[in-house]
Amino acid sequence: RRGQCLSLRCRHPRISMATSRRPPAYASFVAAGVAATAELMVMQPLDVVKTRMHLQGDGIKSGDNFQGTLAAMRGIRQAEGMAGLWRGFVPGLCVVIPRRGFKFVFYDAFIKLLWKGEKQKAPFQHSLVAGGLAGASEACIITPLECLKIGMQSEKAAGSSATGMASFARAMVRSGGVGSLYAGLGATVAKHTAHSCFYFAAFHETKKFAPKGTSRFQQICWDLLSGFVAGCAAATANNPFDVVKTRQQVVAASALSSHAAGQEFACGPTSVASVAMELVRRDGWAGLYKGYIAKVARLGPGSALIFCTYEQVMSL
């Protein structure tokens, strides 16, 4: 029998290797979580800048009116110290691990339902649909943490005067109930659906250009390039929804009387359509792409790091 087993393995080496190297069910979540943590530790300041730029514009008294990404980074550092650029890091970390983790887990699940072949060879439209479903699913899970992150990142406070994550959560729930933590849910679902549609599709489509028989180093280079393309595509697709989401979710921070942006936006429109129309009326269609440079500067290199780390962890 042992001889027969060895013989079978020799005749079917691919089956044997595929079976022995099949990753456990939780591997996708862990790999994405590790990748997301590494990305956030490097890119957090750009996320803060993006949020601040979403909340500025014509007629907004609490806005900073920064003229660009670098000017925003300098302005925040000068007014609030280096800690200001890391505002909301804890809820951001609490968001990014489940967000990326569930995104990849859900994508793997949906692509298996839509495509029976290898994930890497799935047609563009299958990757698009599976990514969209994955994004919508993860959005329903992480919206409360997104609300807390936006509230903390948009607070202009230096040092010990900044409000902590627990204090923000208590104030929001006390003022508006648990439902306040789900402010901007519709825009969040739309944002993550648009994001993930192009995130996975762009990554796998770009990797299809990689020549066969590449070395480990070349594979890493292709993962980095494909991840960068995926991040830029996702940023372009989701930015309008992200601006609307930020403006809706900052309203939940109006539970704190000292939160200037929350107090101001609480007096304005609150639905997805009305926020978008008011934004376009005041700032034109370009208003839907506020913070775009900061977003691409984060998501391009950040997604390259995420996909590369994910692929390497999954190959262990």
Side-chain angles (χ1 to χ4, degrees):
R1 290 183 181 178
R2 186 175 180 182
Q4 289 177 349
C5 267
L6 290 172
S7 168
L8 183 61
R9 288 183 182 180
C10 290
R11 288 199 301 266
H12 303 283
R14 292 182 182 177
I15 295 176
S16 176
M17 289 179 66
T19 303
S20 62
R21 295 183 60 186
R22 182 178 299 167
Y26 60 82
S28 183
F29 187 96
V30 172
V34 170
T37 301
E39 183 262 350
L40 187 68
M41 291 176 69
V42 177
M43 300 296 179
Q44 171 70 8
L46 287 168
D47 198 41
V48 175
V49 167
K50 179 206 72 173
T51 297
R52 295 292 182 89
M53 296 186 79
H54 283 179
L55 298 172
Q56 66 181 29
D58 186 37
I60 299 177
K61 297 178 181 179
S62 61
D64 296 287
N65 295 319
F66 295 124
Q67 295 303 307
T69 300
L70 293 177
M73 294 183 77
R74 285 195 299 268
I76 294 171
R77 182 183 60 80
Q78 290 171 0
E80 304 167 41
M82 286 299 294
L85 291 169
W86 295 88
R87 183 91 68 232
F89 179 75
V90 173
L93 192 61
C94 293
V95 165
V96 81
I97 292 176
R99 183 171 72 189
R100 302 298 188 202
F102 284 119
K103 185 195 298 290
F104 280 84
V105 168
F106 287 143
Y107 176 78
D108 285 349
F110 285 123
I111 199 66
K112 286 176 183 176
L113 290 175
L114 297 170
W115 174 252
K116 300 306 179 184
E118 293 182 38
K119 180 174 66 174
Q120 295 80 359
K121 296 181 180 179
F124 178 77
Q125 62 271 23
H126 287 67
S127 295
L128 207 67
V129 173
L133 292 171
S137 300
E138 62 151 300
C140 296
I141 297 173
I142 54 88
T143 293
L145 289 167
E146 284 275 7
C147 277
L148 292 173
K149 185 192 76 167
I150 293 299
M152 293 180 72
Q153 288 183 340
S154 55
E155 183 185 34
K156 298 173 185 177
S160 59
S161 61
T163 309
M165 179 177 170
S167 298
F168 255 112
R170 283 194 299 267
M172 288 179 181
V173 172
R174 189 165 53 244
S175 174
V178 176
S180 65
L181 296 175
Y182 282 88
L185 176 61
T188 304
V189 170
K191 174 205 168 184
H192 286 280
T193 299
H195 177 102
S196 296
C197 269
F198 293 94
Y199 195 63
F200 291 103
F203 177 78
H204 291 299
E205 287 300 306
T206 305
K207 279 206 73 174
K208 288 177 183 177
F209 289 99
K212 294 181 179 180
T214 55
S215 66
R216 182 69 174 265
F217 176 75
Q218 290 173 319
Q219 288 175 2
I220 291 174
C221 290
W222 273 100
D223 287 340
L224 289 170
L225 173 62
S226 302
F228 182 84
V229 171
C232 293
T236 304
N238 80 37
N239 204 89
F241 301 110
D242 197 14
V243 178
V244 172
K245 177 188 83 71
T246 299
R247 294 189 169 206
Q248 284 187 305
Q249 291 181 333
V250 77
V251 172
S254 63
L256 295 172
S257 58
S258 60
H259 200 292
Q263 296 292 329
E264 181 171 3
F265 280 92
C267 300
T270 55
S271 70
V272 174
S274 60
V275 170
M277 287 189 292
E278 178 68 10
L279 181 62
V280 172
R281 186 184 70 80
R282 288 192 174 193
D283 297 325
W285 290 101
L288 294 173
Y289 276 87
K290 288 179 181 292
Y292 178 70
I293 299 300
K295 177 182 276 289
V296 169
R298 179 197 171 183
L299 278 183
S303 296
L305 179 61
I306 284 175
F307 272 111
C308 183
T309 305
Y310 176 83
E311 293 291 317
Q312 294 307 307
V313 172
M314 288 295 286
S315 67
L316 294 177

